[in-house]
């Protein structure tokens, strides 16, 4: 049986589910786009192809193998986008929580059933249907659980709103001993530079008490200030609107000292190295055209205590 353990974003990674770009299917129509960045590239004729995305995912898989991480991959479904495993489930402590995802993405969860079947059934949680929550909105830091949400009255009309207040309350009740803090995120159906699809699109902790943050991704100044006060201004790398668009906060930590980052993130990668991190650079620019990057395509199962 798999004994899950994920208590933060940065402890040494031992096992992960990495998505797949195989048999990804044709370029979707504009109407089928889940997010404004995909929509932008569909309209421009620059939507990524399967070969390029598979090559990029092979690159991060090679990094995981280098660090002796056990990697699980979804079973391949014909003509299905299975890259972003973080959307479909997440682990907190020793519990696997099935995300209530968009209905037409349910086959993606079935494709990792062989992994879930290795977990004790009492450790697998399925929220009630009114609870909407996706893994990109859930972040662990010490005794905190950070959750991105959208509080607008038009929630049901906003395709880029993925976690509702019921989702926040569900996690709060499931983990009463932790501090659950929600953040109201900025959403747009048209402009990807003004759309924080998930919390990890505008914030992410990295090792040694530092983090990456984009102020404009937060709907309330107080939410942004909460993180600045918690981490300390000097410990946060502030990204620009354009860097947020290219997903600079969506890196992935293998340990406190090792960060996997996109090879074109020059300013960020330089800062990380100056702070003493080992930066494993991979190509991921094609996958980022779907408004997701390294954290979005990984679902950690086991990190060291």
């Amino acid at each position: 049986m798999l004994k899950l353990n994920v208590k933060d974003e940065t402890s040494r990674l031992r096992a992960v589910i990495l998505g797949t770009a195989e048999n990804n299917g044709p370029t979707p129509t504009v109407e089928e786009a889940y997010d404004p960045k995909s929509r932008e590239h569909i309209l421009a004729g620059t939507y990524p192809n399967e070969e390029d995305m598979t090559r990029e995912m092979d690159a991060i898989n090679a990094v995981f193998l280098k660090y002796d991480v056990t990697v699980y991959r979804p079973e391949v479904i014909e003509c299905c986008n299975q890259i972003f495993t973080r959307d479909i489930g997440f682990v907190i402590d020793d519990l696997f929580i099935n995300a209530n995802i968009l209905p037409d993405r349910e086959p993606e969860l079935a494709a990792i059933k062989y992994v879930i079947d290795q977990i004790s059934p009492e450790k697998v949680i399925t929220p009630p249907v009114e609870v909407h929550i996706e893994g990109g909105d859930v972040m662990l830091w010490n005794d905190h659980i950070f959750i991105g949400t959208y509080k607008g009255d038009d929630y049901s009309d906003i395709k880029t709103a993925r976690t509702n207040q019921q989702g926040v309350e569900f996690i709060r009740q499931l983990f009463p001993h932790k501090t659950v803090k929600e953040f109201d995120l900025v959403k747009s159906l048209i402009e990807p530079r003004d759309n924080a699809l998930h919390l990890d699109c505008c914030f992410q902790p990295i090792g040694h008490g530092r983090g990456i943050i984009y102020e404009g991704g937060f709907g309330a100044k107080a939410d942004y200030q909460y993180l600045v006060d918690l981490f300390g201004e000097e410990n946060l790398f502030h990204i620009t609107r354009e860097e947020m668009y290219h997903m600079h906060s969506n890196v992935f930590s293998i340990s406190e000292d090792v960060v996997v980052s996109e090879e074109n993130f020059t300013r960020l990668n330089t800062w990380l190295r100056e702070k003493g991190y080992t930066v494993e650079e991979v190509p991921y620019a094609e996958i980022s055209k779907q408004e997701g990057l390294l954290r979005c395509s990984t679902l950690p199962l086991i990190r060291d205590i």
Side-chain angles (χ1 to χ4, degrees), residues 84-89 99 101 105 133-136 162 198 296:
F84 299 121
T85 52
R86 184 77 66 154
D87 292 354
I88 62 178
I101 49 181
R105 295 188 65 183
I133 190 160
E134 291 188 353
R162 302 295 177 80
H198 293 116
C296 296

Side-chain angles (χ1 to χ4, degrees), residues 8 10 21 57-58 69 74 95 122 161 170 183 196 212 231 262 299:
D8 57 39
T10 58
M57 300 208 80
D58 286 346
V69 175
L95 299 180
E122 69 272 14
F170 179 79
F183 300 88
I212 304 164
F231 281 76
E262 215 283 330
L299 198 174

Side-chain angles (χ1 to χ4, degrees), residues 35-245:
D35 61 86
K37 195 170 182 185
S38 293
R39 178 182 181 275
E40 178 183 271
H41 285 285
I42 293 166
L43 289 169
T46 53
Y47 192 81
N49 65 53
E50 181 180 317
E51 182 180 355
D52 288 340
M53 292 190 294
T54 299
R55 176 179 50 84
E56 290 182 345
M57 300 208 80
D58 286 346
I60 187 173
N61 189 49
V63 173
F64 287 146
L65 296 180
K66 173 183 175 180
Y67 285 90
D68 198 27
V69 175
T70 299
V71 180
Y72 299 91
R73 308 298 294 271
E75 295 173 344
V76 176
I77 302 168
E78 187 175 352
C79 291
C80 180
N81 187 331
Q82 297 176 262
I83 294 171
F84 299 121
T85 52
R86 184 77 66 154
D87 292 354
I88 62 178
F90 53 94
V91 175
I92 300 177
D93 292 350
D94 61 350
L95 299 180
F96 185 97
I97 299 164
N98 291 317
N100 279 342
I101 49 181
L102 299 169
D104 55 355
R105 295 188 65 183
E106 287 175 3
E108 293 178 59
L109 191 58
I112 63 168
K113 183 178 182 297
Y114 81 97
V115 180
I116 297 171
D117 285 347
Q118 298 176 52
I119 304 166
S120 297
E122 69 272 14
K123 299 293 186 181
V124 179
I125 308 296
T126 300
V129 68
E130 68 273 11
V131 167
H132 298 173
I133 190 160
E134 291 188 353
D137 277 324
V138 180
M139 223 166 261
L140 312 180
W141 189 75
N142 297 340
D143 61 345
H144 280 73
I145 302 176
F146 303 133
I147 303 180
T149 186
Y150 178 68
K151 298 181 179 180
D153 293 337
D154 56 349
Y155 175 92
S156 60
D157 299 323
I158 304 296
K159 200 186 315 188
T160 57
R162 302 295 177 80
T163 298
N164 60 11
Q165 275 299 109
Q166 290 97 317
V168 175
E169 291 308 318
F170 179 79
I171 296 299
R172 189 168 276 136
Q173 291 169 25
L174 199 57
F175 299 95
H177 57 293
K178 293 182 183 282
T179 300
V180 176
K181 166 63 178 172
E182 76 268 29
F183 300 88
D184 191 23
L185 303 180
V186 170
K187 303 289 182 179
S188 173
L189 297 175
I190 302 298
E191 175 51 76
R193 290 164 182 80
D194 297 322
N195 180 57
L197 188 64
H198 293 116
L199 180 58
D200 58 18
C201 295
C202 60
F203 171 72
Q204 186 175 178
I206 54 175
H208 303 291
R210 298 189 181 97
I212 304 164
I213 196 166
Y214 172 61
E215 181 177 356
F218 297 89
K221 171 79 172 179
D223 282 353
Y224 160 77
Q225 194 61 46
Y226 180 93
L227 291 169
V228 172
D229 293 343
L230 193 61
F231 281 76
E233 180 82 36
E234 70 282 3
N235 292 316
L236 291 171
F237 183 85
H238 286 74
I239 59 176
T240 65
R241 181 171 180 257
E242 196 65 20
E243 287 172 335
M244 178 267 193
Y245 167 75

